PDB file of all heavy atoms in Angstrom:
ATOM      1  N   GLU S   1      94.397-149.552  38.784  1.00 63.00           N
ATOM      2  CA  GLU S   1      94.469-150.375  39.975  1.00 63.00           C
ATOM      3  C   GLU S   1      93.889-151.749  39.635  1.00 63.00           C
ATOM      4  O   GLU S   1      94.481-152.822  40.038  1.00 63.00           O
ATOM      5  CB  GLU S   1      93.697-149.778  41.075  1.00 63.00           C
ATOM      6  CG  GLU S   1      94.445-148.708  41.838  1.00 63.00           C
ATOM      7  CD  GLU S   1      95.595-149.238  42.640  1.00 63.00           C
ATOM      8  OE1 GLU S   1      95.340-149.874  43.672  1.00 63.00           O
ATOM      9  OE2 GLU S   1      96.729-149.083  42.269  1.00 63.00           O
ATOM     10  N   ALA S   2      92.817-151.882  38.974  1.00 67.00           N
ATOM     11  CA  ALA S   2      92.132-153.105  38.603  1.00 67.00           C
ATOM     12  C   ALA S   2      93.057-153.947  37.707  1.00 67.00           C
ATOM     13  O   ALA S   2      93.296-155.175  37.900  1.00 67.00           O
ATOM     14  CB  ALA S   2      90.778-152.910  37.964  1.00 67.00           C
ATOM     15  N   MET S   3      93.679-153.299  36.712  1.00 71.00           N
ATOM     16  CA  MET S   3      94.593-153.947  35.808  1.00 71.00           C
ATOM     17  C   MET S   3      95.797-154.461  36.537  1.00 71.00           C
ATOM     18  O   MET S   3      96.283-155.609  36.299  1.00 71.00           O
ATOM     19  CB  MET S   3      94.937-152.999  34.670  1.00 71.00           C
ATOM     20  CG  MET S   3      93.891-152.663  33.651  1.00 71.00           C
ATOM     21  SD  MET S   3      94.414-151.466  32.424  1.00 71.00           S
ATOM     22  CE  MET S   3      95.836-152.241  31.792  1.00 71.00           C
ATOM     23  N   PHE S   4      96.370-153.646  37.449  1.00 67.00           N
ATOM     24  CA  PHE S   4      97.559-154.004  38.222  1.00 67.00           C
ATOM     25  C   PHE S   4      97.278-155.209  39.074  1.00 67.00           C
ATOM     26  O   PHE S   4      98.115-156.147  39.123  1.00 67.00           O
ATOM     27  CB  PHE S   4      98.030-152.836  39.039  1.00 67.00           C
ATOM     28  CG  PHE S   4      99.390-152.927  39.693  1.00 67.00           C
ATOM     29  CD1 PHE S   4     100.515-152.578  39.023  1.00 67.00           C
ATOM     30  CD2 PHE S   4      99.515-153.516  40.945  1.00 67.00           C
ATOM     31  CE1 PHE S   4     101.766-152.720  39.560  1.00 67.00           C
ATOM     32  CE2 PHE S   4     100.690-153.651  41.515  1.00 67.00           C
ATOM     33  CZ  PHE S   4     101.830-153.248  40.827  1.00 67.00           C
ATOM     34  N   HIS S   5      96.152-155.283  39.680  1.00 64.00           N
ATOM     35  CA  HIS S   5      95.817-156.388  40.597  1.00 64.00           C
ATOM     36  C   HIS S   5      95.719-157.665  39.766  1.00 64.00           C
ATOM     37  O   HIS S   5      96.141-158.741  40.226  1.00 64.00           O
ATOM     38  CB  HIS S   5      94.458-156.101  41.305  1.00 64.00           C
ATOM     39  CG  HIS S   5      94.630-155.270  42.548  1.00 64.00           C
ATOM     40  ND1 HIS S   5      94.254-155.690  43.757  1.00 64.00           N
ATOM     41  CD2 HIS S   5      95.181-154.057  42.714  1.00 64.00           C
ATOM     42  CE1 HIS S   5      94.529-154.743  44.687  1.00 64.00           C
ATOM     43  NE2 HIS S   5      95.143-153.762  44.007  1.00 64.00           N
ATOM     44  N   ARG S   6      95.126-157.610  38.524  1.00 72.00           N
ATOM     45  CA  ARG S   6      94.984-158.786  37.777  1.00 72.00           C
ATOM     46  C   ARG S   6      96.361-159.198  37.207  1.00 72.00           C
ATOM     47  O   ARG S   6      96.640-160.431  37.228  1.00 72.00           O
ATOM     48  CB  ARG S   6      94.030-158.506  36.613  1.00 72.00           C
ATOM     49  CG  ARG S   6      92.544-158.530  37.087  1.00 72.00           C
ATOM     50  CD  ARG S   6      91.616-158.654  35.827  1.00 72.00           C
ATOM     51  NE  ARG S   6      91.734-157.517  34.959  1.00 72.00           N
ATOM     52  CZ  ARG S   6      90.963-156.451  35.010  1.00 72.00           C
ATOM     53  NH1 ARG S   6      90.122-156.300  36.015  1.00 72.00           N
ATOM     54  NH2 ARG S   6      91.114-155.416  34.111  1.00 72.00           N
ATOM     55  N   MET S   7      97.175-158.301  36.735  1.00 71.00           N
ATOM     56  CA  MET S   7      98.410-158.625  36.144  1.00 71.00           C
ATOM     57  C   MET S   7      99.319-159.282  37.121  1.00 71.00           C
ATOM     58  O   MET S   7      99.992-160.243  36.830  1.00 71.00           O
ATOM     59  CB  MET S   7      99.144-157.396  35.546  1.00 71.00           C
ATOM     60  CG  MET S   7      98.468-156.878  34.302  1.00 71.00           C
ATOM     61  SD  MET S   7      99.522-155.570  33.506  1.00 71.00           S
ATOM     62  CE  MET S   7      99.513-154.329  34.825  1.00 71.00           C
ATOM     63  N   PHE S   8      99.346-158.779  38.370  1.00 69.00           N
ATOM     64  CA  PHE S   8     100.324-159.276  39.340  1.00 69.00           C
ATOM     65  C   PHE S   8      99.634-160.241  40.404  1.00 69.00           C
ATOM     66  O   PHE S   8     100.293-160.701  41.304  1.00 69.00           O
ATOM     67  CB  PHE S   8     100.941-158.094  40.156  1.00 69.00           C
ATOM     68  CG  PHE S   8     101.926-157.330  39.276  1.00 69.00           C
ATOM     69  CD1 PHE S   8     101.436-156.215  38.561  1.00 69.00           C
ATOM     70  CD2 PHE S   8     103.205-157.721  39.117  1.00 69.00           C
ATOM     71  CE1 PHE S   8     102.324-155.475  37.783  1.00 69.00           C
ATOM     72  CE2 PHE S   8     104.046-156.989  38.320  1.00 69.00           C
ATOM     73  CZ  PHE S   8     103.606-155.876  37.593  1.00 69.00           C
ATOM     74  N   ARG S   9      98.319-160.529  40.106  1.00 82.00           N
ATOM     75  CA  ARG S   9      97.651-161.540  40.954  1.00 82.00           C
ATOM     76  C   ARG S   9      97.701-161.206  42.434  1.00 82.00           C
ATOM     77  O   ARG S   9      98.057-162.130  43.262  1.00 82.00           O
ATOM     78  CB  ARG S   9      98.168-162.937  40.674  1.00 82.00           C
ATOM     79  CG  ARG S   9      97.994-163.354  39.158  1.00 82.00           C
ATOM     80  CD  ARG S   9      98.552-164.744  38.952  1.00 82.00           C
ATOM     81  NE  ARG S   9      98.350-165.160  37.583  1.00 82.00           N
ATOM     82  CZ  ARG S   9      98.835-166.278  36.994  1.00 82.00           C
ATOM     83  NH1 ARG S   9      99.403-167.195  37.834  1.00 82.00           N
ATOM     84  NH2 ARG S   9      98.663-166.582  35.772  1.00 82.00           N
ATOM     85  N   LEU S  10      97.423-159.969  42.784  1.00 88.00           N
ATOM     86  CA  LEU S  10      97.455-159.576  44.185  1.00 88.00           C
ATOM     87  C   LEU S  10      96.309-160.257  44.932  1.00 88.00           C
ATOM     88  O   LEU S  10      95.205-160.332  44.384  1.00 88.00           O
ATOM     89  CB  LEU S  10      97.441-158.062  44.266  1.00 88.00           C
ATOM     90  CG  LEU S  10      98.518-157.319  43.552  1.00 88.00           C
ATOM     91  CD1 LEU S  10      98.464-155.797  43.891  1.00 88.00           C
ATOM     92  CD2 LEU S  10      99.856-157.827  43.821  1.00 88.00           C
ATOM     93  N   GLU S  11      96.616-160.592  46.234  1.00 92.00           N
ATOM     94  CA  GLU S  11      95.569-161.236  47.015  1.00 92.00           C
ATOM     95  C   GLU S  11      95.362-160.432  48.311  1.00 92.00           C
ATOM     96  O   GLU S  11      96.339-159.890  48.895  1.00 92.00           O
ATOM     97  CB  GLU S  11      96.028-162.663  47.396  1.00 92.00           C
ATOM     98  CG  GLU S  11      96.154-163.556  46.166  1.00 92.00           C
ATOM     99  CD  GLU S  11      96.586-164.976  46.520  1.00 92.00           C
ATOM    100  OE1 GLU S  11      96.731-165.248  47.771  1.00 92.00           O
ATOM    101  OE2 GLU S  11      96.812-165.731  45.620  1.00 92.00           O
ATOM    102  N   ASP S  12      94.140-160.413  48.766  1.00 91.00           N
ATOM    103  CA  ASP S  12      93.817-159.817  50.081  1.00 91.00           C
ATOM    104  C   ASP S  12      94.497-160.678  51.192  1.00 91.00           C
ATOM    105  O   ASP S  12      94.522-161.945  51.106  1.00 91.00           O
ATOM    106  CB  ASP S  12      92.300-159.777  50.298  1.00 91.00           C
ATOM    107  CG  ASP S  12      91.553-158.808  49.383  1.00 91.00           C
ATOM    108  OD1 ASP S  12      92.145-157.716  49.108  1.00 91.00           O
ATOM    109  OD2 ASP S  12      90.503-159.164  48.945  1.00 91.00           O
ATOM    110  N   ILE S  13      94.936-160.003  52.190  1.00 94.00           N
ATOM    111  CA  ILE S  13      95.551-160.788  53.285  1.00 94.00           C
ATOM    112  C   ILE S  13      94.411-161.282  54.269  1.00 94.00           C
ATOM    113  O   ILE S  13      94.618-162.211  55.005  1.00 94.00           O
ATOM    114  CB  ILE S  13      96.594-159.987  54.111  1.00 94.00           C
ATOM    115  CG1 ILE S  13      95.947-158.696  54.664  1.00 94.00           C
ATOM    116  CG2 ILE S  13      97.825-159.671  53.295  1.00 94.00           C
ATOM    117  CD1 ILE S  13      96.917-157.923  55.543  1.00 94.00           C
ATOM    118  N   GLU S  14      93.249-160.673  54.125  1.00 93.00           N
ATOM    119  CA  GLU S  14      92.099-161.195  54.909  1.00 93.00           C
ATOM    120  C   GLU S  14      90.850-160.822  54.085  1.00 93.00           C
ATOM    121  O   GLU S  14      90.421-159.742  54.075  1.00 93.00           O
ATOM    122  CB  GLU S  14      92.044-160.515  56.321  1.00 93.00           C
ATOM    123  CG  GLU S  14      90.918-161.022  57.147  1.00 93.00           C
ATOM    124  CD  GLU S  14      90.915-160.410  58.531  1.00 93.00           C
ATOM    125  OE1 GLU S  14      91.431-159.312  58.716  1.00 93.00           O
ATOM    126  OE2 GLU S  14      90.379-161.059  59.465  1.00 93.00           O
ATOM    127  N   PRO S  15      90.308-161.769  53.328  1.00 88.00           N
ATOM    128  CA  PRO S  15      89.101-161.563  52.525  1.00 88.00           C
ATOM    129  C   PRO S  15      88.019-160.969  53.329  1.00 88.00           C
ATOM    130  O   PRO S  15      87.663-161.303  54.432  1.00 88.00           O
ATOM    131  CB  PRO S  15      88.755-162.991  52.005  1.00 88.00           C
ATOM    132  CG  PRO S  15      90.049-163.668  52.043  1.00 88.00           C
ATOM    133  CD  PRO S  15      90.826-163.180  53.237  1.00 88.00           C
ATOM    134  N   GLY S  16      87.454-159.871  52.746  1.00 88.00           N
ATOM    135  CA  GLY S  16      86.275-159.200  53.360  1.00 88.00           C
ATOM    136  C   GLY S  16      86.622-158.098  54.344  1.00 88.00           C
ATOM    137  O   GLY S  16      85.805-157.406  54.826  1.00 88.00           O
ATOM    138  N   ALA S  17      87.935-157.915  54.572  1.00 91.00           N
ATOM    139  CA  ALA S  17      88.392-156.822  55.475  1.00 91.00           C
ATOM    140  C   ALA S  17      89.336-155.962  54.706  1.00 91.00           C
ATOM    141  O   ALA S  17      90.040-156.347  53.720  1.00 91.00           O
ATOM    142  CB  ALA S  17      89.104-157.424  56.644  1.00 91.00           C
ATOM    143  N   GLU S  18      89.422-154.728  55.125  1.00 91.00           N
ATOM    144  CA  GLU S  18      90.270-153.735  54.423  1.00 91.00           C
ATOM    145  C   GLU S  18      91.611-153.571  55.187  1.00 91.00           C
ATOM    146  O   GLU S  18      91.601-153.225  56.466  1.00 91.00           O
ATOM    147  CB  GLU S  18      89.616-152.387  54.367  1.00 91.00           C
ATOM    148  CG  GLU S  18      90.410-151.314  53.552  1.00 91.00           C
ATOM    149  CD  GLU S  18      89.628-149.973  53.412  1.00 91.00           C
ATOM    150  OE1 GLU S  18      89.239-149.437  54.489  1.00 91.00           O
ATOM    151  OE2 GLU S  18      89.454-149.550  52.256  1.00 91.00           O
ATOM    152  N   HIS S  19      92.735-153.813  54.540  1.00 93.00           N
ATOM    153  CA  HIS S  19      94.022-153.714  55.137  1.00 93.00           C
ATOM    154  C   HIS S  19      94.957-152.924  54.268  1.00 93.00           C
ATOM    155  O   HIS S  19      94.677-152.718  53.105  1.00 93.00           O
ATOM    156  CB  HIS S  19      94.614-155.090  55.456  1.00 93.00           C
ATOM    157  CG  HIS S  19      93.893-155.845  56.492  1.00 93.00           C
ATOM    158  ND1 HIS S  19      94.019-155.466  57.875  1.00 93.00           N
ATOM    159  CD2 HIS S  19      93.072-156.879  56.530  1.00 93.00           C
ATOM    160  CE1 HIS S  19      93.305-156.303  58.613  1.00 93.00           C
ATOM    161  NE2 HIS S  19      92.699-157.157  57.838  1.00 93.00           N
ATOM    162  N   LEU S  20      96.142-152.599  54.788  1.00 92.00           N
ATOM    163  CA  LEU S  20      97.071-151.755  54.004  1.00 92.00           C
ATOM    164  C   LEU S  20      97.893-152.574  52.988  1.00 92.00           C
ATOM    165  O   LEU S  20      98.371-151.963  52.104  1.00 92.00           O
ATOM    166  CB  LEU S  20      98.049-151.102  54.974  1.00 92.00           C
ATOM    167  CG  LEU S  20      98.979-149.997  54.375  1.00 92.00           C
ATOM    168  CD1 LEU S  20      98.204-148.862  53.662  1.00 92.00           C
ATOM    169  CD2 LEU S  20      99.966-149.476  55.451  1.00 92.00           C
ATOM    170  N   PHE S  21      97.857-153.908  53.168  1.00 93.00           N
ATOM    171  CA  PHE S  21      98.746-154.748  52.304  1.00 93.00           C
ATOM    172  C   PHE S  21      97.910-155.671  51.432  1.00 93.00           C
ATOM    173  O   PHE S  21      96.896-156.218  51.797  1.00 93.00           O
ATOM    174  CB  PHE S  21      99.650-155.606  53.189  1.00 93.00           C
ATOM    175  CG  PHE S  21     100.406-154.785  54.124  1.00 93.00           C
ATOM    176  CD1 PHE S  21     100.292-155.059  55.539  1.00 93.00           C
ATOM    177  CD2 PHE S  21     101.340-153.831  53.818  1.00 93.00           C
ATOM    178  CE1 PHE S  21     100.987-154.367  56.506  1.00 93.00           C
ATOM    179  CE2 PHE S  21     102.028-153.054  54.766  1.00 93.00           C
ATOM    180  CZ  PHE S  21     101.867-153.367  56.088  1.00 93.00           C
ATOM    181  N   TYR S  22      98.485-155.899  50.251  1.00 93.00           N
ATOM    182  CA  TYR S  22      98.140-157.050  49.366  1.00 93.00           C
ATOM    183  C   TYR S  22      99.426-157.822  49.237  1.00 93.00           C
ATOM    184  O   TYR S  22     100.526-157.299  49.353  1.00 93.00           O
ATOM    185  CB  TYR S  22      97.639-156.598  47.990  1.00 93.00           C
ATOM    186  CG  TYR S  22      96.358-155.878  48.024  1.00 93.00           C
ATOM    187  CD1 TYR S  22      96.344-154.463  47.731  1.00 93.00           C
ATOM    188  CD2 TYR S  22      95.108-156.517  48.190  1.00 93.00           C
ATOM    189  CE1 TYR S  22      95.182-153.742  47.735  1.00 93.00           C
ATOM    190  CE2 TYR S  22      93.965-155.764  48.180  1.00 93.00           C
ATOM    191  CZ  TYR S  22      94.002-154.421  47.968  1.00 93.00           C
ATOM    192  OH  TYR S  22      92.761-153.755  47.933  1.00 93.00           O
ATOM    193  N   ILE S  23      99.281-159.147  48.923  1.00 95.00           N
ATOM    194  CA  ILE S  23     100.497-159.967  48.771  1.00 95.00           C
ATOM    195  C   ILE S  23     100.371-160.844  47.541  1.00 95.00           C
ATOM    196  O   ILE S  23      99.283-161.124  47.085  1.00 95.00           O
ATOM    197  CB  ILE S  23     100.796-160.859  50.012  1.00 95.00           C
ATOM    198  CG1 ILE S  23      99.605-161.775  50.347  1.00 95.00           C
ATOM    199  CG2 ILE S  23     101.235-160.025  51.163  1.00 95.00           C
ATOM    200  CD1 ILE S  23      99.866-162.685  51.506  1.00 95.00           C
ATOM    201  N   THR S  24     101.484-161.353  47.071  1.00 94.00           N
ATOM    202  CA  THR S  24     101.531-162.312  45.987  1.00 94.00           C
ATOM    203  C   THR S  24     102.808-163.035  46.071  1.00 94.00           C
ATOM    204  O   THR S  24     103.824-162.461  46.626  1.00 94.00           O
ATOM    205  CB  THR S  24     101.338-161.652  44.642  1.00 94.00           C
ATOM    206  OG1 THR S  24     101.242-162.656  43.584  1.00 94.00           O
ATOM    207  CG2 THR S  24     102.528-160.733  44.252  1.00 94.00           C
ATOM    208  N   LYS S  25     102.907-164.206  45.589  1.00 95.00           N
ATOM    209  CA  LYS S  25     104.197-165.004  45.543  1.00 95.00           C
ATOM    210  C   LYS S  25     104.841-164.909  44.157  1.00 95.00           C
ATOM    211  O   LYS S  25     104.052-165.113  43.188  1.00 95.00           O
ATOM    212  CB  LYS S  25     103.942-166.470  46.005  1.00 95.00           C
ATOM    213  CG  LYS S  25     105.283-167.200  46.250  1.00 95.00           C
ATOM    214  CD  LYS S  25     105.058-168.528  46.815  1.00 95.00           C
ATOM    215  CE  LYS S  25     104.729-169.531  45.717  1.00 95.00           C
ATOM    216  NZ  LYS S  25     104.785-170.973  46.215  1.00 95.00           N
ATOM    217  N   ARG S  26     106.101-164.707  44.159  1.00 93.00           N
ATOM    218  CA  ARG S  26     106.770-164.677  42.838  1.00 93.00           C
ATOM    219  C   ARG S  26     108.243-165.037  42.991  1.00 93.00           C
ATOM    220  O   ARG S  26     108.725-165.134  44.115  1.00 93.00           O
ATOM    221  CB  ARG S  26     106.603-163.306  42.156  1.00 93.00           C
ATOM    222  CG  ARG S  26     107.363-162.162  42.916  1.00 93.00           C
ATOM    223  CD  ARG S  26     107.193-160.883  42.085  1.00 93.00           C
ATOM    224  NE  ARG S  26     105.740-160.468  41.928  1.00 93.00           N
ATOM    225  CZ  ARG S  26     105.151-160.600  40.815  1.00 93.00           C
ATOM    226  NH1 ARG S  26     105.719-161.110  39.696  1.00 93.00           N
ATOM    227  NH2 ARG S  26     103.918-160.243  40.684  1.00 93.00           N
ATOM    228  N   LYS S  27     108.980-165.153  41.860  1.00 94.00           N
ATOM    229  CA  LYS S  27     110.407-165.381  41.907  1.00 94.00           C
ATOM    230  C   LYS S  27     111.054-164.014  42.052  1.00 94.00           C
ATOM    231  O   LYS S  27     110.785-163.035  41.333  1.00 94.00           O
ATOM    232  CB  LYS S  27     110.825-166.023  40.620  1.00 94.00           C
ATOM    233  CG  LYS S  27     110.204-167.435  40.382  1.00 94.00           C
ATOM    234  CD  LYS S  27     110.670-168.460  41.357  1.00 94.00           C
ATOM    235  CE  LYS S  27     110.146-169.852  40.996  1.00 94.00           C
ATOM    236  NZ  LYS S  27     110.558-170.859  41.933  1.00 94.00           N
ATOM    237  N   TYR S  28     112.020-163.928  42.972  1.00 93.00           N
ATOM    238  CA  TYR S  28     112.750-162.704  43.159  1.00 93.00           C
ATOM    239  C   TYR S  28     113.721-162.454  42.049  1.00 93.00           C
ATOM    240  O   TYR S  28     114.479-163.368  41.696  1.00 93.00           O
ATOM    241  CB  TYR S  28     113.441-162.773  44.514  1.00 93.00           C
ATOM    242  CG  TYR S  28     114.184-161.529  44.831  1.00 93.00           C
ATOM    243  CD1 TYR S  28     113.545-160.335  45.164  1.00 93.00           C
ATOM    244  CD2 TYR S  28     115.622-161.497  44.931  1.00 93.00           C
ATOM    245  CE1 TYR S  28     114.227-159.159  45.480  1.00 93.00           C
ATOM    246  CE2 TYR S  28     116.278-160.376  45.240  1.00 93.00           C
ATOM    247  CZ  TYR S  28     115.608-159.209  45.545  1.00 93.00           C
ATOM    248  OH  TYR S  28     116.271-158.034  45.885  1.00 93.00           O
ATOM    249  N   THR S  29     113.801-161.289  41.519  1.00 87.00           N
ATOM    250  CA  THR S  29     114.707-160.934  40.446  1.00 87.00           C
ATOM    251  C   THR S  29     115.625-159.757  40.717  1.00 87.00           C
ATOM    252  O   THR S  29     116.389-159.280  39.796  1.00 87.00           O
ATOM    253  CB  THR S  29     113.856-160.613  39.142  1.00 87.00           C
ATOM    254  OG1 THR S  29     113.038-159.506  39.415  1.00 87.00           O
ATOM    255  CG2 THR S  29     113.091-161.774  38.719  1.00 87.00           C
ATOM    256  N   GLY S  30     115.657-159.281  41.962  1.00 85.00           N
ATOM    257  CA  GLY S  30     116.518-158.179  42.316  1.00 85.00           C
ATOM    258  C   GLY S  30     117.862-158.640  42.805  1.00 85.00           C
ATOM    259  O   GLY S  30     118.309-159.773  42.682  1.00 85.00           O
ATOM    260  N   ARG S  31     118.567-157.625  43.417  1.00 88.00           N
ATOM    261  CA  ARG S  31     119.931-157.955  43.998  1.00 88.00           C
ATOM    262  C   ARG S  31     119.736-158.880  45.226  1.00 88.00           C
ATOM    263  O   ARG S  31     118.813-158.640  46.029  1.00 88.00           O
ATOM    264  CB  ARG S  31     120.648-156.690  44.392  1.00 88.00           C
ATOM    265  CG  ARG S  31     121.055-155.836  43.185  1.00 88.00           C
ATOM    266  CD  ARG S  31     122.049-154.768  43.668  1.00 88.00           C
ATOM    267  NE  ARG S  31     121.389-153.803  44.580  1.00 88.00           N
ATOM    268  CZ  ARG S  31     121.996-152.683  45.147  1.00 88.00           C
ATOM    269  NH1 ARG S  31     123.276-152.505  44.764  1.00 88.00           N
ATOM    270  NH2 ARG S  31     121.380-151.979  45.931  1.00 88.00           N
ATOM    271  N   PRO S  32     120.662-159.775  45.469  1.00 93.00           N
ATOM    272  CA  PRO S  32     120.553-160.632  46.655  1.00 93.00           C
ATOM    273  C   PRO S  32     120.604-159.800  47.963  1.00 93.00           C
ATOM    274  O   PRO S  32     121.165-158.686  47.985  1.00 93.00           O
ATOM    275  CB  PRO S  32     121.855-161.499  46.577  1.00 93.00           C
ATOM    276  CG  PRO S  32     122.180-161.532  45.130  1.00 93.00           C
ATOM    277  CD  PRO S  32     121.814-160.171  44.601  1.00 93.00           C
ATOM    278  N   PHE S  33     119.915-160.271  49.002  1.00 94.00           N
ATOM    279  CA  PHE S  33     119.990-159.594  50.248  1.00 94.00           C
ATOM    280  C   PHE S  33     119.779-160.652  51.345  1.00 94.00           C
ATOM    281  O   PHE S  33     119.453-161.794  51.126  1.00 94.00           O
ATOM    282  CB  PHE S  33     118.865-158.584  50.386  1.00 94.00           C
ATOM    283  CG  PHE S  33     117.417-159.068  50.376  1.00 94.00           C
ATOM    284  CD1 PHE S  33     116.830-159.491  51.520  1.00 94.00           C
ATOM    285  CD2 PHE S  33     116.702-159.165  49.212  1.00 94.00           C
ATOM    286  CE1 PHE S  33     115.573-159.966  51.584  1.00 94.00           C
ATOM    287  CE2 PHE S  33     115.356-159.656  49.250  1.00 94.00           C
ATOM    288  CZ  PHE S  33     114.812-160.032  50.418  1.00 94.00           C
ATOM    289  N   ALA S  34     120.133-160.214  52.552  1.00 96.00           N
ATOM    290  CA  ALA S  34     119.950-161.088  53.736  1.00 96.00           C
ATOM    291  C   ALA S  34     119.227-160.334  54.804  1.00 96.00           C
ATOM    292  O   ALA S  34     119.405-159.152  54.999  1.00 96.00           O
ATOM    293  CB  ALA S  34     121.323-161.556  54.212  1.00 96.00           C
ATOM    294  N   VAL S  35     118.260-161.059  55.433  1.00 96.00           N
ATOM    295  CA  VAL S  35     117.485-160.354  56.534  1.00 96.00           C
ATOM    296  C   VAL S  35     117.094-161.466  57.541  1.00 96.00           C
ATOM    297  O   VAL S  35     116.714-162.565  57.188  1.00 96.00           O
ATOM    298  CB  VAL S  35     116.224-159.703  55.902  1.00 96.00           C
ATOM    299  CG1 VAL S  35     115.240-160.795  55.263  1.00 96.00           C
ATOM    300  CG2 VAL S  35     115.447-159.007  57.045  1.00 96.00           C
ATOM    301  N   ASP S  36     117.315-161.145  58.858  1.00 94.00           N
ATOM    302  CA  ASP S  36     116.992-162.009  59.955  1.00 94.00           C
ATOM    303  C   ASP S  36     117.631-163.363  59.755  1.00 94.00           C
ATOM    304  O   ASP S  36     117.051-164.476  60.102  1.00 94.00           O
ATOM    305  CB  ASP S  36     115.434-162.218  60.029  1.00 94.00           C
ATOM    306  CG  ASP S  36     114.737-160.850  60.253  1.00 94.00           C
ATOM    307  OD1 ASP S  36     115.331-159.971  60.887  1.00 94.00           O
ATOM    308  OD2 ASP S  36     113.659-160.711  59.698  1.00 94.00           O
ATOM    309  N   GLY S  37     118.783-163.421  59.129  1.00 94.00           N
ATOM    310  CA  GLY S  37     119.502-164.700  59.014  1.00 94.00           C
ATOM    311  C   GLY S  37     119.059-165.516  57.823  1.00 94.00           C
ATOM    312  O   GLY S  37     119.516-166.624  57.525  1.00 94.00           O
ATOM    313  N   VAL S  38     118.189-164.947  56.995  1.00 96.00           N
ATOM    314  CA  VAL S  38     117.682-165.582  55.808  1.00 96.00           C
ATOM    315  C   VAL S  38     118.337-164.887  54.556  1.00 96.00           C
ATOM    316  O   VAL S  38     118.280-163.666  54.401  1.00 96.00           O
ATOM    317  CB  VAL S  38     116.147-165.522  55.688  1.00 96.00           C
ATOM    318  CG1 VAL S  38     115.689-166.084  54.304  1.00 96.00           C
ATOM    319  CG2 VAL S  38     115.497-166.270  56.833  1.00 96.00           C
TER     320      VAL S  38
END
């Protein structure tokens, strides 16, 4: 887990609080998709 967080630069969505999600920004490399008009 510690290595994965460092490699992918995961960030807490709210520092100091425990939540279900981490996020990071990256370039998308999968198949194209559309959602909510985007």
Side-chain angles (χ1 to χ4, degrees):
E1 280 290 287
M3 291 175 57
F4 190 88
H5 277 237
R6 285 196 296 270
M7 286 189 299
F8 291 93
R9 299 180 181 178
L10 303 188
E11 299 181 1
D12 293 322
I13 58 175
E14 185 177 23
E18 187 177 53
H19 289 289
L20 188 60
F21 309 119
Y22 295 107
I23 56 175
T24 187
K25 190 173 82 169
R26 65 177 60 257
K27 300 290 186 182
Y28 181 67
T29 58
R31 291 191 299 180
F33 67 86
V35 58
D36 304 326
V38 174

